[in-house]
Amino acid sequence: MLVAAAVCPCPPLLVPAVAGQAAAELDPVRAACREAVDALAAARPARLVVVGPDGADGPTVHPAGTPGGFHGYGVPLEVTLGTSGTPGPSRPESGGGRRLPLSLAVGAWLLAEAGWTAAPVSGLAVGPAMEPARCADEGRRLAAEAERVALLVMGDGSACRDRRAPGYLDERAVPYDDAVARALASADTAALTALDPEPAAGLRAAGRPAWQVLAGAAGPAAMASRLLWYGAPYGVAYFTALWTAS
């Protein structure tokens, strides 16, 4: 049963070490994410699953202890899924095991910053090729795996909000993101499930499959919901929201 879910964005700039001198620009987003993660802990889950997009087809399960990092952004910062405490500098790895995709690495960083110890953690990466029905099925499966399940759902909206955005300017972006914001604010699972993969791909809205996992996990249950933050500071839409079981 889903008892709580936090929706957070997953840009690498959310990590201050990556953002560098521009870190303060996303302080309000970080504060909203911290509020949402703290609320997950307060819900007393038996299990937490970090769900986020990946470039692969998915779904791919990442167990507790899976490492990740931000080396691709010139920062020797390493994180480990499900390990509390402040992330540290890179350490030599033994073996060539699987690593966290960026979205789950940012999620692991958020949990470490919050000192998460409330419940065991695992990760689920979902890909852009996953159809809405399959995403929802994954959510229902997660919700059924424990009596009290919480989700940390990572994902960004469109990357086409202005001419500086990674996807340049697309007039469809604002209406699309506004619709997602309304769905997250009202826990509208039907609206999230109805998001079409094709326009999401065209707008580079990478969070679409992760939001549909959330919709499947919540199902028809009544959820109290709040939209904690919504904006597009770099031409990419970021959402932070909190859902809790009523």
Side-chain angles (χ1 to χ4, degrees), residues 141-242:
R141 179 186 63 78
L142 292 177
E145 287 188 349
E147 185 176 348
R148 300 182 64 83
V149 175
L151 300 183
L152 175 55
V153 182
M154 311 298 297
D156 300 339
S158 75
C160 304
R161 293 287 290 260
D162 58 39
R163 289 180 174 83
R164 301 169 299 165
Y168 197 63
L169 176 64
D170 191 316
E171 293 181 355
R172 300 173 297 168
V174 171
Y176 181 93
D177 294 328
D178 285 351
V180 172
R182 288 192 298 271
L184 293 174
S186 59
D188 189 340
T189 57
L192 292 177
T193 303
L195 293 173
D196 190 326
E198 186 173 345
L203 293 169
R204 301 191 182 189
R208 188 274 307 172
W211 303 328
Q212 290 176 330
V213 171
L214 167 61
M223 304 290 290
S225 56
R226 286 192 293 147
L227 185 65
L228 303 177
W229 202 91
Y230 168 40
Y234 302 115
V236 181
Y238 300 152
F239 311 92
T240 304
L242 175 64

Side-chain angles (χ1 to χ4, degrees), residues 10 49-54 60-63 66-70 79-82 98-111 121-126 152-155 210:
C10 55
V49 184
V50 185
V51 181
D54 190 4
T60 305
V61 174
H62 294 269
T66 304
F70 302 93
V79 293
T80 304
L81 188 64
R98 179 183 296 162
R99 290 181 62 82
L100 298 173
L102 177 61
S103 65
L104 298 191
V106 175
W109 177 84
L110 286 174
L111 293 175
V121 180
S122 62
L124 178 71
V126 287
L152 175 55
V153 182
M154 311 298 297

